[in-house]
Amino acid sequence: MQTVAVIDYGMGNLHSVAKALEHVGAGRVLVSSDAKVIREADRVVFPGVGAIRDCMAEIRRLGFDQLVREVSVDRPFLGICVGMQALLEHSEENGGVDCLGLFPGQVRFFGKDLAEAGEPLKVPHMGWNEVVQSVDHPLWHNIPNRGRFYFVHSYYVEAGNPKQVVGRGHYGKDFVAALADGPRFAVQFHPEKSHTHGLQLLQNFAAWDGRW
């Protein structure tokens, strides 16, 4: 049976992610802060919620910055929400925070004056929204284009390499909903909270060989 490690660095909806992976039959799911366990896993999930400065501080304190670089190059790797943002180069949040730099690009604030057709929009962007699949990726298997997923975020990814953008959303402005590069796949939404489509994505991740 394959193992899926959910990285525990104290910042993430870990058990909801683990339960969703177990629900789709992903294999033996381990929520762990043990680098050895994570290194030995067949697949790795990197969730995250909260402030990016706190997330990055814990990631570096635990030595998980190097660990994430290591385990995301030779097996399927899924970043979720702030776990996705942490993979970028830099975030505007908290006055500016350097991130892991595994994807080129920046994390930007939606802004206080966000609007659509003259109507103000609330920040954070919270709730269901469509995701346009800009690339035919294995993790989109059996998920319709413009399928709806659940988002909670005040900051959004501005990709440095458009070829890595595999999903887009819109909330006052276009934003990156999913990035991919080799065995790395990262999403701004929460698949564990996204019902049928989110569970399908996790099932696809459990079956994916890391190639596309």
Side-chain angles (χ1 to χ4, degrees):
M1 178 184 290
Q2 71 173 359
T3 58
V4 182
V6 179
I7 299 178
D8 180 4
Y9 58 101
M11 307 289 292
N13 196 15
L14 307 175
H15 295 288
S16 292
V17 173
K19 290 294 185 185
L21 286 162
E22 290 170 353
H23 181 76
V24 300
R28 185 173 175 226
V29 181
L30 305 171
V31 176
S32 183
S33 58
D34 186 327
K36 183 174 184 292
V37 169
I38 296 164
R39 283 192 175 96
E40 291 177 350
D42 299 298
R43 301 168 192 279
V44 176
V45 178
F46 183 47
V49 297
I52 191 70
R53 184 178 298 281
D54 295 338
C55 289
M56 289 307 307
E58 284 302 291
I59 289 166
R60 292 195 168 103
R61 183 182 70 82
L62 294 166
F64 284 1
D65 46 348
Q66 182 54 42
L67 179 66
V68 167
R69 291 187 179 94
E70 180 184 329
V71 301
S72 65
V73 296
D74 63 355
R75 72 204 75 184
F77 178 93
L78 177 63
I80 297 174
C81 196
V82 173
M84 173 191 184
Q85 295 182 2
L87 300 176
L88 276 290
E89 293 173 301
H90 188 266
S91 174
E92 290 183 342
E93 191 174 351
N94 304 122
V97 180
D98 287 332
C99 301
L100 295 174
L102 300 185
F103 286 101
Q106 307 290 317
V107 180
R108 307 288 191 193
F109 181 47
F110 268 120
K112 295 181 179 178
D113 301 316
L114 192 66
E116 186 77 51
E119 293 296 321
L121 296 174
K122 292 181 179 179
V123 177
H125 168 218
M126 182 182 299
W128 295 87
N129 204 344
E130 292 182 349
V131 172
V132 175
Q133 299 170 16
S134 44
V135 171
D136 184 17
H137 191 281
L139 264 66
W140 296 137
H141 177 65
N142 280 342
I143 298 173
N145 189 33
R146 297 188 178 275
R148 294 172 69 81
F149 293 84
Y150 191 82
F151 291 83
V152 183
H153 60 128
S154 299
Y155 293 78
Y156 66 94
V157 166
E158 185 178 86
N161 182 354
K163 293 181 179 179
Q164 295 176 333
V165 179
V166 296
R168 294 188 179 276
H170 184 84
Y171 188 69
K173 61 183 73 179
D174 290 337
F175 67 88
V176 175
L179 287 170
D181 180 39
R184 295 173 180 144
F185 195 92
V187 295
Q188 181 62 70
F189 52 82
H190 286 273
E192 76 281 6
K193 296 180 180 180
S194 297
H195 300 322
T196 304
H197 297 334
L199 291 175
Q200 181 65 57
L201 186 139
L202 293 177
Q203 185 175 332
N204 293 343
F205 174 71
W208 182 39
D209 64 4
R211 294 179 293 180
W212 64 291

